[in-house]
Amino acid sequence: MYILVPLVLIVFSLVLVSDGSQAFIAPITLSSDGGSYYTVVGLGNIFFRVSLDTASSDLWIMSSSCLTETCQKVPRYPLSYQSPTFLSVNSNSTAFNAIYSDGTSADGFVAKETVLFSNLTVPNQALALITSSNVSLADNISGILGLGFPRISSINGTATNSTPFFPGLAQRGLLQYPLFGLSLTRNDTGSLSLGAIDASVVTNLTNIQWNPVVEFSPFTNESNSSSYYQWALPLQGLTVNGTSVSLSPSYPSVTANKSIAIFDVGNPGIYGPWADVSKLFSSFNGARLVDAAAGHQRNFTLQPTDYIIGETSGDPGLCLAWPRALDPSPDGIDWQIGTPFMRTVYTVFSYGIDTSEPPMIGLYPLSNITTPESAALVSSLISSASEIFPTTLPNSLLTTPTGTIQFYSLNTSVSASTGGIVDTDLAFSSYSAIFGAATSVPDPSTLNLSAIALISPSPTLATYTVTDSAGALSTTISHITIPSIVLGVPPGWSSAGFVVRAPLLFGSLLSATLVSSLLRWTW
Ligand SMILES: *[C@@H]1O[C@H](CO)[C@@H](O)[C@H](O)[C@H]1NC(C)=O
Ligand SMILES: *[C@@H]1O[C@H](CO)[C@@H](O)[C@H](O)[C@H]1NC(C)=O
Ligand SMILES: *[C@@H]1O[C@H](CO)[C@@H](O)[C@H](O)[C@H]1NC(C)=O
Ligand SMILES: *[C@@H]1O[C@H](CO)[C@@H](O)[C@H](O)[C@H]1NC(C)=O
Ligand SMILES: *[C@@H]1O[C@H](CO)[C@@H](O)[C@H](O)[C@H]1NC(C)=O
Ligand SMILES: *[C@@H]1O[C@H](CO)[C@@H](O)[C@H](O)[C@H]1NC(C)=O
Ligand SMILES: *[C@@H]1O[C@H](CO)[C@@H](O)[C@H](O)[C@H]1NC(C)=O
Ligand SMILES: *[C@@H]1O[C@H](CO)[C@@H](O)[C@H](O)[C@H]1NC(C)=O
Ligand SMILES: *[C@@H]1O[C@H](CO)[C@@H](O)[C@H](O)[C@H]1NC(C)=O
Ligand SMILES: *[C@@H]1O[C@H](CO)[C@@H](O)[C@H](O)[C@H]1NC(C)=O
Ligand SMILES: *[C@@H]1O[C@H](CO)[C@@H](O)[C@H](O)[C@H]1NC(C)=O
Ligand SMILES: *[C@@H]1O[C@H](CO)[C@@H](O)[C@H](O)[C@H]1NC(C)=O
């Protein structure tokens, strides 16, 4: 039968429905070079691996017009495909540039695309498509997903609604609570959750220590108010096997005599100022002292196998260990806490709420360490690790940092506090605050943590119960087949693609003192 269809314009739009269950989780994998943790995101219907970074705030992907060597070996966004969800910004002429501390850089232009993460769909997300770069990424990783504050984004402010990915979700109230959680393992069983905490890792929310994040004064070229800048905390103390290392903040008068540390999942090491790091290494043989931790502060302890990097090629018996010494940074950040520390905890990044609560970093220890690993275990793990490191790696024969304190580049006449309440750039103001005006570590038992959602990864194992013809029951457990996805190539698009089995579902001087000491951090 012929049906007369009235002529109407049907507009399909992607709408994010706020149904109170906005929690998302995806697996993250340690790259084979140990340099980064990556997850898979979709740009329209094209999938890419992106390296996670909490010390930058932009999403960028190599594009097909990037022909440099580092680009050619990874899947790239095909510019000629004309993705139906692509939206150009300023006729593709808004430039993007990112420069990294190792001297590499990425250049491109700003555009908007639909971004998929887990089963979350975000239309018109501002990002950068790279046209020239010497940033070298392993394992077919095509770009970086920055999870930092808008203040350090190059893209924020280049066009309307060009807020970074995670802050955009928080500012529009689209998550159950404005936070994300990171579980880092040495394989592909870690997770990134948005809006919720991974319940397969965190079994008791009361054991999370919540630390208010530090605000930073404005740069002299910025407006006159302080605001959140990096996921940074004051480091309260550091001990080597019980001996405390006295910390010398590089800018004591500006940072209230505190050493500021950033939590950076994009950093495969731990870095500190020369003054502190040299003291730390000299105390490996030192006397024992006990520092008194006050209030609700907790210790977070690294075992030798967490901080030892490996043996050197030049001098067998010589061992490299984190942290590596650096000259102080002119923005006042002394310590960079990367994945060797972050693997020992589950980390929650709570974004803070406009006018009602500061951003917080929640740390949930994965073990209760009281005694160091045995020297025999450490030695065997080090010698079984096939990797031998050139002696130019950290803490060996590197040039000694000058220790010169550079000119502090922030406007010190504007004060910045830890845990200050601000009224813009944090989450939607109608979220109900859990932490309130916390300016120091709150007692977790006083917090109403029930507003924090829990999410579990999908299982990778399925149990099949079979009844045979004789009526006997048998049970088999088998791995759920993980579908292969094609990286960098839209379905039906002809091009030599990168087919990769990517988990879309969860997969389930060797000094005696260096190998037998605990490195304890107090936040
Ligand atoms: C999508 O996310 C919701 C929570 O927001 C979850 O309940 C649902 O199971 C997820 N679906 C899939 C296919 O992962
Ligand atoms: C912007 O780039 C997209 C993707 O390559 C392309 O389809 C579009 O034609 C470009 N727009 C302009 C104005 O150059
Ligand atoms: C990367 O490229 C930038 C800009 O072209 C250049 O300044 C830098 O020296 C290069 N770095 C490396 C490590 O090749
Ligand atoms: C990248 O993907 C291709 C195609 O699947 C694969 O052959 C290659 O080994 C991958 N490279 C790395 C470094 O994982
Ligand atoms: C980000 O951009 C928005 C406008 O889209 C602006 O209101 C906000 O102040 C910007 N944030 C920062 C930190 O630059
Ligand atoms: C992956 O790492 C986790 C935590 O470190 C460990 O418990 C698990 O056994 C590892 N899984 C595989 C398959 O190696
Ligand atoms: C969770 O941890 C707190 C503090 O350690 C403890 O008091 C409480 O009994 C624990 N809850 C459960 C259900 O184990
Ligand atoms: C302001 O100064 C800081 C530090 O010198 C610099 O990183 C930033 O790019 C500058 N911002 C602008 C808008 O010039
Ligand atoms: C900051 O405040 C000072 C003094 O009030 C003023 O001279 C200066 O122009 C202001 N700077 C900016 C970037 O607003
Ligand atoms: C933290 O470590 C210090 C020094 O090792 C110790 O004195 C203190 O009791 C520890 N604090 C807690 C809460 O365990
Ligand atoms: C550490 O000890 C506390 C208190 O005894 C306990 O609640 C917690 O579950 C332990 N954590 C781990 C990872 O063993
Ligand atoms: C560190 O302390 C433990 C006891 O907690 C001890 O067994 C170990 O030998 C100490 N290591 C050093 C280097 O003193």
Side-chain angles (χ1 to χ4, degrees), residues 169-245:
L169 299 173
Q171 290 180 7
R172 283 175 287 153
L174 297 173
L175 299 171
Q176 194 143 324
Y177 203 75
L179 54 74
F180 62 93
L182 283 174
S183 158
L184 307 182
T185 64
R186 291 184 187 269
N187 50 43
D188 58 2
T189 62
S191 69
L192 166 62
S193 57
L194 302 183
I197 285 175
D198 185 339
S200 72
V201 180
V202 177
T203 53
N204 185 343
L205 288 179
T206 318
N207 287 332
I208 300 177
Q209 174 179 301
W210 298 97
N211 306 274
V213 168
V214 296
E215 263 186 288
F216 281 70
S217 299
F219 284 101
T220 43
N221 60 6
E222 288 173 327
S223 73
N224 278 339
S225 59
S226 296
S227 62
Y228 289 98
Y229 173 75
Q230 285 281 13
W231 289 106
L233 298 182
L235 174 58
Q236 310 287 356
L238 184 58
T239 67
V240 177
N241 229 36
T243 302
S244 86
V245 176

Side-chain angles (χ1 to χ4, degrees), residues 34 38 83 102 145-146 201 232 283 305 323 344 348 358 367 413 464 467 511:
Y38 66 83
S83 164
D102 62 358
L145 175 59
V201 180
S283 72
T305 49
T344 69
V348 188
S367 62
S413 65
Y464 298 95
T467 313
S511 102

